[in-house]
Amino acid sequence: MQSVTILGATGSIGLSTLDVMSRHRSEYSLYAVTGNTNVDGMIALCQQHRPSIAVMANEQAAEKLQTAILKLGLDVSVRSGKKALIEVSSCNEVDIVMAAIVGGAGLMPTMAAAQSGKRICLANKEALVMSGELFLDAVRDNNAELLPVDSEHNAIFQSLPVEVQQGGALESAGVEKILLTGSGGPFLNTPISEFKDITPSMAVAHPNWSMGAKISVDSATMMNKGLEFVEARLLFNARFDQIEVVIHPQSIIHSMVSYSDGSVLAQMGQPDMRTPIAHSLAYPNRIKSGVEPLDFSKLADFSFCKPDFERFPNLRLALEASQKGQGATTVLNASNEVAVDAFLKGNIRFTDIATVNEYCLTELGSASPTTIDDILQLDCRAREYAIANICKGSTC
Ligand code: NAD
Ligand code: MG
């Protein structure tokens, strides 16, 4: 029996993880679930899945949850705050941590899971993008296991030989290129002149995937693919020129690996995150995820093209940051979180997200953080720059 903590259990990945786990109750037990401030979501989840511990981000939310838990007579211990997040990610009772908090808020608990040698199923790409090699060092030094949940990285992982999955070099396995696929999001064919009028509800309506608001906007700007480029370089120890972004609007191929003999291996499936979640929980075994197999006779189109950097300046910025180094990716991640939040709140336009990001990257992108404290400070500074830039140029 494996004991699991789900960080970000009330979110899209968190709920999909609970769905997969509920199909395998004799193999996985639920130790702890965490959420931000969505008390109703957490109550429903506790009723259905009976974790031992539930953690909310602040005391107010935890008090509300505690009252409901008592009323319902559930045996769930309620906690709150950052320390509790770290505790449920690192304590001895836990074998697997599903890292599914969105954004930089997930870094410290995910780091704690690495430092205490857990299996980390990593959905929270921002944590890796902002901390890079420092996070990978913590994984290596403490014999933790890092399994990618992001569908592209999970697909790449599945298409690589075991030696590379275990940290071996791409070249010695005959890998020529990683082909990182992306749908291009909802605005792949929208005239660029209309981009300034894109509203939050238009941006979160992804054609293929159902996801949280932040990653949905990132998919619409293609910053998501940029963060994934950085993520892939780190996870697979790849040079810049060993990864190519390929647009594949149908999201059936989740990414590919091209080998020196001309073979290209792809992982395919429905656009449903329960597949990579099940893979990361059970690896090297396979378990049922609840996802229907593909029916190829029903697939009408299967198309590919190159990304357009004029249409998606955020993708260009992320690739530039990836070449510059850790400081640049930490800054870009932080600035993007602030800009996307401002866009979702109606404070800036869709097209301003790239403007804010470019400004922060130019101002702060040459920093070279070497410790986690440096990273956290730089992250804070970039957020302040982004907020100041937004306030200068708009309504707030
Ligand atoms: P979501 O917004 O649906 O859920 C986010 C979760 O994080 C929620 O449980 C929320 O309560 C929690 N959270 C948010 N801010 C927090 C804070 N400050 N402190 C503590 N908890 C906090 O997001 P999601 O779509 O589930 O995505 C989660 C992560 O997985 C993101 O990093 C995203 O990039 C990644 N991811 C998601 C998908 C997908 O299909 N949804 C695919 C690939 C990768
Ligand atoms: Mg992805």
Side-chain angles (χ1 to χ4, degrees):
M1 180 73 103
Q2 303 269 292
S3 166
V4 181
T5 282
I6 306 179
L7 300 170
T10 54
S12 166
I13 293 287
L15 294 173
S16 293
T17 305
L18 288 165
D19 181 280
V20 173
M21 283 176 61
S22 67
R23 296 162 195 272
H24 305 279
R25 290 203 198 275
S26 57
E27 280 117 292
Y28 301 98
S29 67
L30 188 58
Y31 179 68
V33 289
T34 84
N36 195 14
T37 52
N38 176 1
V39 178
D40 290 343
M42 189 57 99
I43 295 170
L45 191 162
C46 288
Q47 274 183 292
Q48 200 185 342
H49 298 281
R50 310 292 167 107
S52 303
I53 301 174
V55 182
M56 301 304 292
N58 60 48
E59 270 179 41
Q60 261 174 315
E63 267 168 34
K64 276 194 207 157
L65 178 64
Q66 180 69 68
T67 308
I69 294 284
L70 285 176
K71 243 192 218 161
L72 292 164
L74 298 175
D75 185 16
V76 180
S77 157
V78 177
R79 306 193 187 158
S80 68
K82 291 180 182 163
K83 250 173 104 176
L85 283 182
I86 289 177
E87 172 65 22
V88 298
S89 306
S90 56
C91 62
N92 287 338
E93 288 85 345
V94 172
D95 304 301
I96 302 177
V97 174
M98 169 58 70
I101 289 177
V102 59
L107 175 61
M108 293 319 279
T110 309
M111 192 62 144
Q115 285 163 343
S116 45
K118 307 299 182 198
R119 169 173 289 204
I120 302 163
C121 303
L122 184 76
N124 181 199
K125 66 192 88 185
E126 296 93 344
L128 181 59
V129 169
M130 76 190 272
S131 63
E133 291 296 339
L134 288 167
F135 182 78
L136 297 178
D137 286 347
V139 169
R140 267 190 298 268
D141 294 349
N142 298 285
N143 289 322
E145 266 184 299
L146 187 57
L147 275 301
V149 172
D150 211 349
S151 58
E152 296 77 4
H153 305 75
N154 185 271
I156 295 162
F157 185 90
Q158 292 198 48
S159 306
L160 286 168
V162 176
E163 313 88 83
V164 183
Q165 291 178 347
Q166 290 171 348
L170 292 173
E171 288 87 351
S172 47
V175 173
E176 292 271 289
K177 232 169 204 175
I178 287 170
L179 303 172
L180 179 69
T181 56
S183 68
F187 309 123
L188 183 60
N189 300 309
T190 306
I192 296 178
S193 60
E194 293 174 18
F195 272 33
K196 61 182 187 337
D197 302 318
I198 289 170
T199 63
S201 59
M202 288 159 78
V204 297
H206 196 279
N208 307 339
W209 298 93
S210 155
M211 310 180 285
K214 193 260 178 183
I215 184 177
S216 297
V217 175
D218 282 349
S219 298
T221 65
M222 282 200 79
M223 174 57 88
N224 184 50
K225 210 47 55 188
L227 297 175
E228 290 183 354
F229 188 95
V230 178
E231 182 187 11
R233 282 197 66 188
L234 287 160
L235 286 174
F236 307 112
N237 196 14
R239 293 190 314 266
F240 186 85
D241 62 304
Q242 282 176 312
I243 306 183
E244 185 181 332
V245 176
V246 177
I247 304 288
H248 167 47
Q250 297 80 21
S251 303
I252 296 297
I253 290 181
H254 299 310
S255 276
M256 303 177 261
V257 175
S258 176
Y259 288 86
S260 52
D261 62 1
S263 301
V264 178
L265 301 192
Q267 187 265 357
M268 289 180 247
Q270 304 284 1
D272 186 324
M273 290 305 292
R274 289 177 299 173
T275 296
I277 288 167
H279 178 269
S280 71
L281 287 171
Y283 176 82
N285 300 322
R286 299 270 177 183
I287 55 171
K288 287 204 183 297
S289 65
V291 177
E292 290 297 309
L294 283 176
D295 179 349
F296 281 87
S297 65
K298 289 197 181 130
L299 297 181
D301 286 320
F302 214 47
S303 55
F304 305 91
C305 63
K306 279 183 182 297
D308 173 352
F309 292 109
E310 204 190 319
R311 174 175 288 274
F312 297 115
N314 279 296
L315 176 59
R316 170 181 58 78
L317 290 174
L319 298 197
E320 281 171 20
S322 172
Q323 273 183 306
K324 269 182 125 170
Q326 187 55 57
T329 55
T330 303
V331 166
L332 186 63
N333 177 66
S335 141
N336 183 60
E337 280 191 38
V338 171
V340 170
D341 186 54
F343 168 68
L344 284 169
K345 288 180 174 145
N347 293 336
I348 61 172
R349 283 199 286 224
F350 185 77
T351 41
D352 295 332
I353 298 173
T355 313
V356 174
N357 287 340
E358 182 139 34
Y359 168 78
C360 291
L361 197 56
T362 310
E363 292 294 313
L364 300 172
S366 29
S368 34
T370 55
T371 64
I372 285 295
D373 277 348
D374 291 350
I375 297 275
L376 295 174
Q377 273 178 28
L378 185 60
D379 174 83
C380 233
R381 194 137 178 257
R383 283 170 202 267
E384 285 164 10
Y385 265 65
I387 290 167
N389 185 260
I390 286 167
C391 291
K392 209 168 54 185
S394 77
T395 51
C396 72

